[in-house]
Structure formats: structure tokens, C-alpha cells
């Protein structure tokens, strides 16, 4: 009873409850039978009656070889058979109530996946004069709106990949430059710019205006940036500090992570926003829980990973396995390592032959792209997990 009325689910006797099941049962009754129950349709009852009574037994039980007349009579009456009852020789194939998912007769059969073509030459080459040659800086970022931001000395340029247009966003004064890092917010509209004088600026790329300047976060250049969402910007400085900034409020510093002894050159938030990975010039990787910022505990980090032998700048969270983190070491290390962020265990280590400057997981394939500096300066596409 609901709302003063009742709903009846009774069915008439002549109406089947499930048409698909009725069809299945009909097919089962018509095609399936037990091997140990005689099949009436395959038996000759006249012959069976004859063999079980007089004449048949007389011929079978007569001593000695049967006469020529008896042989002809037996062949004419088909009495050379040894069985009276007829059975199926083999059990029937099972009838699936629903066709298997990988059946070739399925309506939704999957087509073979076409082989991808991976070009060996670049599709486009952009001039980048005055780009700062410094491994520890992060002067390039590609936003969700298909716009690339790049720091060239004291300037930041935007290149729109959809129409190949280029525009200058900002030129900073020599006193505060050069630009040491850039990072797009998740909205693809706001761009954070780290500067050599420890300041951070936030720009609106649509209106080409500066919307915020963050000061007092660091005592040296800001070489790494990472947005947690559109409001929280995490910054890493040469002073080894990691700071969470809320760009909406005047007192923007809302949390600090302490653990690196030298410059922080890599920062990445996990997809869930629960964990932060940081890499430094002290060869360390830290994994932080978001709740650990500004805690009074002397040990803030969730995991401290010490397996790299050079600075760790490259890091990327796996998009299809939330607790998988890939990190890359500098020239003295040259390895890509994979970590379980829940346990801190190193799952694999791969030697690349060059310093690892950046890592990027594919969102559509089980692959990882790595970019490298000295000595090979190569791009490498890896198949995960075989590598």
C-alpha cells in the first residue's frame, strides 16, 4: 500500500512470466534428453515387440549357424540390430540462457582494436628563445583548454594548439624575474607564475590581467607549482618549504609541509586530492597526506622515499591506479621508479640511460611517456607494467 492505493503484480495464468525463460524451456524440452532414458521417437515398437516375443528369440537363440532363409529374413526385417531401446550417443550441448560476452554471434561483438601509429618526428616545432636552461625549473605547462604556457626569460607566452596562435601574457621586471615556473589551474583559465624573487602571481588568461600576487611564502625562487583545485595552489621553493595557498582569501597561507633540506623541484597532487608528492634536490621523495599540513608533529610526511641518487623533479600519478606514483631521478640517477603510495613500497625501478626531466601517464593507454636530458636528450614511450 502506497499513498492509499495498492499495486498488484499478479499475472493471468495464460501469460508467461518471462518470455525469454519460456522460450528457453521450450527449446530445452524439445532438444534436451537424458542419455539413460530411451527415446521413443527413435524406436521401432513393432520390431521391439517381435524381438521380445517368439520369432525374434527363436532366430537369436537357435543353435548353429542360421540358414540362408533366416539371414535374408533377418536383413529384410532389420533384425541384425543388437539393441531394442534407442539412446542418445552423446549428451547435447548446453543451451546458454544468455549468450557469452565474447561470443562471435553476439549482437554487441567487439571489433579488433586498430594498431596505433606513433610518429618518430615532431608534428610541430616552436621557437623558444631565452628559455632558461635550468633542470630544476618548471617553465612549461599544457592546460585543459589546449593552450601551452611557456616561460621565456622574463616573459610568459601562450600558444593555442587549436589554431596555432601565439600571444604574450605577461612581462615581469628584471628585479623580480626571470619566471621560474608556470602552472595552469584545473579551469584552464587561470595561470600561476612563480618568480625568481619568491613571489607568485595568478593571471586570468582570458582577460589578460593579474588577479593576485602571493608574497611571504618563500625566501627564494619558486621553482615548482601544483594546483589542488581551482582555489588551493601549492608552491615549492628553493628554501625547501612547501606551502598551501588559498587564492580566495587575504591571508593566503593555509598550510606548510616541512621535510626537504634543499630546493623543491617537483610537486604533484593525486587525482583525489588526498595525497601530495614532492621531489627535491636532496634526492628525496615525500608523500604527504593533505591533513598533515602545519601539524605539530616532527614527522609530517606519510612516506619518505630515499631510493633515488639524484634530484627528483619528474613525477606523475597514475590515472587508472590511484595509489601508483612514478618518479624520475636526475643525471646521477637516471631511473624511473614506481611506488605504492599507501605502503611506500618501491614496486619497480627502470634504468633509462639519461636524467629524467618529466613523466606523463597516458589517459587512454597503459603507457608512460618520459622526457630526458643529458646525455641522450630523448623521449621514451613505455608500455606499463612490462616497461
Amino acid at each position: 500500500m502506497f499513498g492509499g492505493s495498492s499495486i498488484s503484480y499478479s499475472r493471468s495464468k495464460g501469460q508467461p512470466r518471462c518470455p525469454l525463460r519460456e522460450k528457453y524451456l521450450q527449446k530445452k524440452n524439445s532438444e534436451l534428453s537424458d542419455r539413460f532414458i530411451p527415446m521413443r521417437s527413435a524406436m521401432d515398437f513393432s520390431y521391439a515387440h517381435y524381438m521380445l516375443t517368439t520369432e525374434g528369440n527363436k532366430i537369436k537363440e537357435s543353435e548353429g549357424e542360421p540358414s540362408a532363409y533366416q539371414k535374408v529374413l533377418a536383413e529384410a526385417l532389420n533384425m541384425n540390430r543388437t539393441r531394442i531401446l534407442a539412446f542418445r550417443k552423446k549428451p547435447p550441448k548446453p543451451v546458454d540462457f544468455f549468450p557469452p560476452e565474447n561470443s562471435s554471434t553476439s549482437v554487441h561483438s567487439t571489433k579488433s582494436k586498430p594498431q596505433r601509429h606513433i610518429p618518430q618526428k615532431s608534428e610541430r616545432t616552436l621557437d623558444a628563445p631565452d628559455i632558461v636552461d635550468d633542470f630544476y625549473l618548471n617553465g612549461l605547462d599544457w592546460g585543459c583548454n589546449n593552450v601551452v604556457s611557456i616561460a621565456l626569460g622574463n616573459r610568459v607566452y601562450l600558444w593555442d594548439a587549436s589554431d596555432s596562435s601565439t600571444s604574450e601574457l605577461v612581462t615581469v621586471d628584471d628585479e623580480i624575474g626571470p619566471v621560474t615556473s608556470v602552472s595552469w589551474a584545473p579551469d584552464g583559465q587561470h595561470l600561476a607564475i612563480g618568480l625568481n624573487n619568491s613571489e607568485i602571481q595568478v593571471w586570468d588568461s582570458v582577460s589578460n590581467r593579474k588577479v593576485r600576487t602571493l608574497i611571504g611564502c618563500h625566501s627564494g625562487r619558486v621553482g615548482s607549482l601544483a594546483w589542488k583545485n581551482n582555489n588551493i595552489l601549492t608552491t615549492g621553493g628553493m628554501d625547501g618549504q612547501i606551502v598551501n595557498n588559498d587564492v580566495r582569501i587575504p591571508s593566503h597561507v593555509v598550510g606548510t609541509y616541512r621535510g626537504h633540506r634543499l630546493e623543491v623541484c617537483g610537486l604533484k597532487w593525486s587525482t583525489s586530492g588526498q595525497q601530495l608528492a614532492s621531489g627535491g634536490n636532496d634526492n628525496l621523495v615525500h608523500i604527504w597526506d593533505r591533513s598533515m599540513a602545519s601539524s605539530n608533529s616532527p614527522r609530517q610526511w606519510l612516506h619518505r622515499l630515499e631510493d633515488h641518487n639524484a634530484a627528483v623533479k619528474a613525477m606523475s600519478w597514475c590515472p587508472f591506479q590511484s595509489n601508483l606514483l612514478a618518479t624520475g631521478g636526475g643525471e646521477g640517477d637516471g631511473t624511473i621508479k614506481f611506488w605504492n603510495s599507501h605502503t611506500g613500497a618501491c614496486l619497480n625501478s627502470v634504468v633509462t640511460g639519461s636524467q629524467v626531466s618529466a613523466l606523463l601517464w597516458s589517459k587512454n593507454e597503459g603507457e608512460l611517456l618520459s622526457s630526458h636530458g643529458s646525455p641522450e636528450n630523448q623521449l621514451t614511450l613505455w608500455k606499463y607494467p612490462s616497461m
Side-chain angles (χ1 to χ4, degrees), residues 187-200:
D187 61 10
Q189 178 177 343
H190 293 88
L191 181 71
I193 299 172
L195 299 172
N196 191 57
N197 74 332
S198 76
E199 294 182 3
I200 304 103

Side-chain angles (χ1 to χ4, degrees), residues 13-31:
K13 293 183 179 180
Q15 182 182 2
R17 292 187 177 182
C18 179
L20 182 60
R21 182 170 179 81
E22 290 293 329
K23 184 177 180 180
Y24 165 74
L25 292 176
Q26 292 174 4
K27 187 174 183 180
K28 179 179 179 182
N29 293 334
S30 63
E31 294 186 4

Side-chain angles (χ1 to χ4, degrees), residues 96 98-110:
D96 293 331
F98 294 101
E101 293 181 0
N102 59 351
S103 173
S104 59
T105 60
S106 175
V107 177
H108 302 286
S109 60
T110 57

Side-chain angles (χ1 to χ4, degrees), residues 38-336:
M39 295 185 63
R40 297 174 64 89
S41 61
M43 293 193 304
D44 187 343
F45 287 98
S46 299
Y47 168 74
H49 179 268
Y50 174 77
M51 291 297 295
L52 291 173
T53 56
T54 56
E55 297 301 326
N57 287 331
K58 288 180 181 179
I59 295 176
K60 293 295 181 182
E61 295 174 2
S62 61
E63 296 181 359
E65 290 295 327
S67 64
Y69 171 76
Q70 289 176 332
K71 291 182 179 180
V72 173
L73 181 63
E75 292 177 359
L77 297 177
N78 195 20
M79 292 189 300
N80 291 326
R81 292 179 291 177
T82 58
R83 291 186 179 182
I84 296 175
L85 303 179
F87 301 87
R88 279 189 179 272
K89 293 182 179 180
K90 295 182 180 180
K93 295 182 179 180
V95 179
D96 293 331
F97 195 78
F98 294 101
E101 293 181 0
N102 59 351
S103 173
S104 59
T105 60
S106 175
V107 177
H108 302 286
S109 60
T110 57
K111 297 180 180 180
S112 59
K113 192 173 183 180
Q115 186 176 3
R116 290 189 305 129
H117 171 68
I118 302 176
Q120 299 300 308
K121 295 183 179 180
S122 61
E123 179 181 329
R124 189 70 56 86
T125 301
L126 304 177
D127 293 329
D130 300 326
I131 191 169
V132 179
D133 185 11
D134 192 327
F135 172 78
Y136 304 101
L137 304 184
N138 293 273
L140 181 71
D141 194 30
W142 200 320
C144 65
N145 287 339
N146 210 17
V147 178
V148 179
S149 61
I150 181 170
L152 300 178
N154 291 347
R155 295 176 172 85
V156 175
Y157 288 89
L158 305 180
W159 180 74
D160 193 331
S162 60
D163 58 10
S164 298
S165 62
T166 303
S167 61
E168 180 181 331
L169 178 66
V170 58
T171 300
V172 300
D173 297 332
D174 292 336
E175 292 77 14
I176 63 176
V179 177
T180 52
S181 55
V182 292
S183 179
W184 285 103
D187 61 10
Q189 178 177 343
H190 293 88
L191 181 71
I193 299 172
L195 299 172
N196 191 57
N197 74 332
S198 76
E199 294 182 3
I200 304 103
Q201 297 180 0
V202 180
W203 283 75
D204 186 332
S205 63
V206 176
S207 60
N208 274 39
R209 66 183 183 90
K210 182 172 63 176
V211 296
R212 189 71 194 270
T213 299
L214 308 177
I215 59 175
C217 308
H218 302 279
S219 59
R221 69 179 184 183
V222 181
S224 54
L225 302 166
W227 291 89
K228 179 183 175 184
N229 48 46
N230 288 321
N231 304 319
I232 302 299
L233 173 63
T234 304
T235 60
M238 183 175 272
D239 55 8
Q241 300 295 309
I242 301 172
V243 180
N244 284 345
N245 301 272
D246 190 331
V247 299
R248 300 168 298 179
I249 58 179
S251 301
H252 52 84
V253 177
V254 294
T256 304
Y257 301 98
R258 298 179 178 87
H260 287 282
R261 299 185 295 268
L262 298 175
E263 181 173 14
V264 179
C265 48
L267 284 175
K268 280 291 187 301
W269 279 101
S270 64
T271 305
S272 65
Q274 183 64 37
Q275 292 183 329
L276 173 69
S278 64
N281 196 19
D282 51 8
N283 307 348
L284 296 176
V285 174
H286 286 100
I287 298 177
W288 315 83
D289 188 271
R290 64 178 183 179
S291 62
M292 293 180 175
S294 301
S295 66
N296 295 324
S297 171
R299 178 181 172 274
Q300 284 184 277
W301 58 84
L302 185 64
H303 300 292
R304 169 178 274 185
L305 312 175
E306 304 178 352
D307 292 20
H308 282 290
N309 297 315
V312 182
K313 171 189 176 184
M315 48 185 52
S316 183
W317 291 92
C318 180
F320 51 85
Q321 188 173 338
S322 60
N323 64 329
L324 179 61
L325 173 69
T327 60
E331 187 174 0
D333 180 87
T335 66
I336 299 174

